Amino acid sequence: MVAADRLADIVRQALIILRHAKGKTSRQLAEEFASVELLTAEEFEPVARALVRSFDGSLRILDSPTTCKAEKARAERRLTRMVTLLGHLYLVTLVARKVIHRILADLIPPGDGPPAEFRVLCSHSLLKVVGHALADVDASHLVAFIGKLVELTAKSSFGVLTRLLVEELREISITSWRPRMVLTVRAEMVASHVEVSCTDMGGEQVCAFNMMDSAKLPDLVTEVKGQILNPFEVLTLILETGAFLPHDIGDMLRDLHE
């Protein structure tokens, strides 16, 4: 529990930083927040909640059919600035990963219907900031979200720029956000063996092979490293469902079918 006087001091300093935000980038603001003496994520949480409420308010303005064009333009600018600020605050460990998940889920809610174009653009802005960090600790969520963005954009009537930005995001996720190789594994029991195929973060198949159903995870990793070019020392293998692959492949598949 944060002491009341400490909380009041944090809020006071946060207000000072925000009042002098004009002309500063989101990264600079996040660094100013991080420079507050001994500030922790727990102590910063009330400020983070206020920033998220501001995000929610901008979303409501943009979703309202009565909002005029000029106000929508202002709300879009505020929203973009807010998500990039929250992203940079995540990078300096003042905002929890669950907040980033929540923002992404609010921007692109569940369902197959195409979202409003500004939501995709805001998602792009946020992931350009935090994507490389999420690739380290939350690869399955990142893969699934970018895959959904690509799928929704393909079915939409979005403008050329939005399509290019989504494709750029997909390309960056493949070429730059790879401190480790992230492969999605599809395994299927066929008679007494397992048919395995692996796709990268861009959805392209990088290898396919068969293994005995008694194979262990180290066997699979060794096989993958033997089949892909320039293998990374660290591999993250995830199921299509997003679950991390357990050690016994055959047992895992039998459990799924039971």
Side-chain angles (χ1 to χ4, degrees):
M1 181 70 69
V2 182
D5 55 346
R6 170 65 172 166
L7 179 58
D9 183 56
I10 291 169
V11 171
R12 180 185 61 79
Q13 293 188 67
L15 288 173
I16 292 173
I17 291 171
L18 291 173
R19 285 195 195 106
H20 295 85
K22 188 174 181 179
K24 297 177 181 177
T25 66
S26 296
R27 180 176 180 176
Q28 288 171 330
L29 290 176
E31 289 172 348
E32 285 190 35
F33 281 119
S35 69
V36 174
E37 187 177 4
L38 302 177
L39 181 61
T40 66
E42 180 186 5
E43 293 172 331
F44 189 74
E45 190 172 352
V47 179
R49 285 200 300 266
L51 294 175
V52 171
R53 285 196 297 272
S54 177
F55 163 84
D56 291 338
S58 294
L59 263 188
R60 284 194 295 272
I61 291 172
L62 286 164
D63 286 337
S64 172
T66 62
T67 303
C68 69
K69 188 174 181 179
E71 181 57 25
K72 279 196 173 186
R74 287 192 293 270
E76 285 182 8
R77 289 194 295 271
R78 284 197 303 271
L79 196 68
T80 300
R81 187 166 174 82
M82 190 57 61
V83 298
T84 54
L85 175 57
L86 287 166
H88 283 293
L89 288 169
Y90 169 70
L91 295 183
V92 296
T93 68
L94 288 180
V95 163
R97 190 162 76 247
K98 65 181 180 181
V99 174
I100 303 301
H101 281 193
R102 196 269 217 190
I103 295 297
L104 290 172
D106 284 352
L107 287 171
I108 309 295
D112 296 327
E117 192 165 0
F118 75 85
R119 290 173 175 267
V120 173
L121 293 172
C122 275
S123 299
H124 170 271
S125 297
L126 178 55
L127 287 178
K128 282 290 292 290
V129 175
V130 303
H132 68 283
L134 291 181
D136 272 342
V137 297
D138 206 1
S140 60
H141 188 274
L142 184 65
V143 169
F145 189 86
I146 292 178
K148 185 174 182 180
L149 274 187
V150 171
E151 179 184 354
L152 291 174
T153 301
K155 297 189 297 185
S156 74
S157 57
F158 295 157
V160 174
L161 177 60
T162 301
R163 293 176 179 276
L164 288 174
L165 289 175
V166 171
E167 178 59 24
E168 174 198 57
L169 197 62
R170 189 189 73 85
E171 287 293 328
I172 292 173
S173 72
I174 299 169
T175 59
S176 300
W177 297 343
R178 298 209 306 184
R180 62 186 67 200
M181 174 71 81
V182 179
L183 298 179
T184 300
V185 178
R186 183 178 185 276
E188 183 177 356
M189 288 285 294
V190 178
S192 61
H193 68 277
V194 179
E195 292 185 353
V196 181
S197 62
C198 302
T199 56
D200 62 20
M201 291 178 72
E204 296 181 8
Q205 182 172 296
V206 295
C207 61
F209 50 87
N210 296 336
M211 301 191 76
M212 297 298 294
D213 66 353
S214 59
K216 304 291 185 181
L217 182 55
D219 303 322
L220 187 147
V221 173
T222 299
E223 184 67 24
V224 171
K225 282 189 173 183
Q227 296 209 22
I228 62 176
L229 296 175
N230 302 318
F232 286 61
E233 290 187 2
V234 180
L235 286 173
T236 296
L237 303 176
I238 57 175
L239 295 172
E240 287 185 321
T241 59
F244 283 89
L245 195 66
H247 286 264
D248 194 308
I249 302 169
D251 285 350
M252 175 270 294
L253 290 172
R254 280 188 286 272
D255 289 343
L256 289 177
H257 288 297
E258 289 176 357

